[in-house]
Amino acid sequence: MKRSATARWQGDLKQGSGSISTESGVLSSSQYSFGTRFESGKGTNPEELIGAAHAGCFSMALSKILGEAGHTPEQIETKATVSLEKVDAGFAITTIHLDVSAKVPGMDANAFAKAADQAKQGCPVSKVLRAEIQMDAKLIG
């Protein structure tokens, strides 16, 4: 299974702008720019999208782990806060903080904490943040 998204950028960093689209059409020419990334402009940004992907993936992974342990969750809510910070070599995503709350009947806090840690380590988005990045690059005229 492969999924794809496309980004298009025009212009320089500060005055330029871009759009992001996903294969599913959920995002279709969604605007992003310097202002949406480093200021409070209207639109999206890569860090917000990484946060959404991580929160969604983690919640599904936790649901799977809880279900396998015989505890079907009534609700899982995950907020992923992605920190983009200036470092010596430019900017870097330095941390992603997952803030999770769940309603899981019959589960004790220690078992839940263990399941949440398993989900944090095992969800595919957590893993991709440590993955090899492959690339093909070509200059078009």
Side-chain angles (χ1 to χ4, degrees):
M1 168 178 15
K2 294 185 180 185
R3 304 285 190 234
S4 66
T6 305
R8 178 170 296 198
W9 186 265
Q10 296 175 297
D12 68 7
L13 176 63
K14 289 198 175 186
Q15 301 305 315
S17 64
S19 63
I20 297 173
S21 298
T22 57
E23 177 181 10
S24 68
V26 170
L27 296 177
S28 180
S29 299
S30 297
Q31 188 269 334
Y32 78 112
S33 66
F34 184 89
T36 65
R37 192 168 193 190
F38 298 104
E39 298 165 353
S40 58
K42 184 175 172 132
T44 191
N45 59 71
E47 292 72 32
E48 175 181 72
L49 298 172
I50 289 170
H54 204 183
C57 182
F58 171 85
S59 294
M60 290 179 77
L62 181 55
S63 177
K64 176 184 181 290
I65 291 165
L66 294 171
E68 288 173 345
H71 297 281
T72 300
E74 286 183 19
Q75 178 179 327
I76 299 169
E77 186 169 324
T78 305
K79 177 180 180 181
T81 302
V82 178
S83 296
L84 178 69
E85 298 181 28
K86 182 136 178 57
V87 295
D88 292 339
F91 284 87
I93 293 174
T94 56
T95 59
I96 299 176
H97 179 82
L98 299 175
D99 186 11
V100 185
S101 61
K103 185 173 184 181
V104 188
M107 180 159 243
D108 68 65
N110 287 336
F112 177 75
K114 183 178 176 184
D117 189 58
Q118 285 180 286
K120 181 184 78 157
Q121 298 302 319
C123 97
V125 173
S126 291
K127 292 177 183 179
V128 78
L129 297 172
R130 301 181 296 263
E132 170 190 352
I133 297 172
Q134 299 176 346
M135 181 177 65
D136 292 319
K138 65 181 174 184
L139 182 62
I140 57 175

